[in-house]
Amino acid sequence: MRRVIFTALAPIAAASVLLAGCGATSGANTVVALSTAGTPSASGPAVTGKITVFAAASLSEVFTTLGAQFEHANPGTTIAFSFGASSTLALQITQGAPADVFASASGTNMATVVSAKAAQTPTAFAQNVMEIAVPPGNPAHITTLADLAKPGVKVALCQPDVPCGTVAAKVFTNAGVAVIPVTLEADVKATLTKVELGEVDAGVVYVTDVLAAGSKVAGIVIPPDVNSATSYPIAALTASKDPQLAKAFVQYVRSSQGVSALTAAGFQKP
């Protein structure tokens, strides 16, 4: 039975004003096909056992699906997940947390793990862009990034040191918009929850999170000329207790089955 764990993230001191900018993106319901060129087949030697995958919070839905598919295709395997901010997961890995695979929403956080010799040769498997999420009915009448800077508009963002916060800041810089958030959340799912609960007028999250939320939120497209993207690398960890199974799961994520699931979830090609 697959076990999904949401990592408790230590709050990070939220200080400041996020910078100007704006961004563009394909709409929440737009799916960009991922290229299957060069992706490995999911077939391989039979594997059994259990591994733990540390993965960015934005991957929670699609990786839970892929874990179930992998277990079905490989009887006797169990894939457990710990989802959270990539920066926090990277820190936990470098401090010795037991894990077998790391899938990050940022190349910077993966580089931290590689520099600590906790992983080798990561591979990019997906890309994501930003979108404005608003509560159903859009009560604050948000239509553009500039609306997020208006007095009285309550905006939720990710903390600036996690990938969704870093990419949102780039979007604001691109658009020349200065946004002062009322809350800085630990990861993209926490930011989205603020919108779903109606505690804020808007949040800047990934396109895939708006899509996964369904009717709980509405999406406002960010124009492509100001939007910003992040690439998702994945790697088996050097301290894995089952390196064969860890590598098999990485291969599965990059296989045609993985590409299909990622495409359906709204991810783009890396």
Side-chain angles (χ1 to χ4, degrees):
M1 182 72 95
R2 192 173 53 271
R3 182 166 52 91
V4 179
I5 307 167
F6 283 87
T7 302
L9 301 177
I12 301 173
S16 52
V17 173
L18 285 194
L19 306 173
C22 152
T25 185
S26 52
N29 296 320
T30 300
V31 174
V32 180
L34 294 169
S35 171
T36 57
T39 55
S41 166
S43 61
V47 289
T48 59
K50 176 180 178 179
I51 58 170
T52 298
V53 177
F54 277 23
S58 52
L59 293 167
S60 58
E61 291 87 3
V62 69
F63 264 38
T64 299
T65 296
L66 286 174
Q69 292 177 354
F70 183 88
E71 290 175 355
H72 180 75
N74 298 274
T77 61
T78 299
I79 311 298
F81 293 100
S82 181
F83 296 109
S86 297
S87 54
T88 299
L89 297 176
L91 178 62
Q92 292 173 348
I93 291 168
T94 59
Q95 291 179 341
D100 302 277
V101 173
F102 180 39
S104 173
S106 164
T108 299
N109 298 128
M110 180 62 79
T112 297
V113 172
V114 172
S115 295
K117 303 189 185 306
Q120 297 178 343
T121 60
T123 303
F125 66 94
Q127 181 174 281
N128 218 343
V129 292
M130 308 304 288
E131 188 160 67
I132 301 170
V134 298
N138 192 8
H141 307 293
I142 304 297
T143 60
T144 67
L145 281 164
D147 290 336
L148 302 183
K150 290 181 178 178
V153 173
K154 295 181 290 184
V155 179
L157 299 174
C158 296
Q159 293 173 352
D161 61 331
V162 301
C164 56
T166 301
V167 182
K170 291 179 182 177
V171 170
F172 295 141
T173 298
N174 292 344
V177 176
V179 175
I180 301 176
V182 297
T183 182
L184 292 169
E185 297 298 317
D187 60 39
V188 72
K189 293 302 184 185
T191 301
L192 190 67
T193 297
K194 291 291 185 179
V195 180
E196 292 175 348
L197 294 176
E199 295 180 4
V200 295
D201 299 313
V204 179
V205 297
Y206 296 120
V207 167
T208 54
D209 294 294
V210 174
L211 183 61
S215 61
K216 295 179 182 179
V217 303
I220 307 297
V221 173
I222 298 174
D225 60 330
V226 292
N227 208 345
S228 187
T230 188
S231 181
Y232 288 64
I234 189 170
L237 298 176
T238 54
S240 172
K241 294 182 179 179
D242 194 334
Q244 182 181 9
L245 180 55
K247 291 176 182 177
F249 182 74
V250 170
Q251 182 183 41
Y252 190 82
V253 170
R254 298 182 58 241
S255 72
S256 58
Q257 292 92 330
V259 167
S260 178
L262 288 160
T263 299
F267 288 89
Q268 300 179 357
K269 64 182 180 180

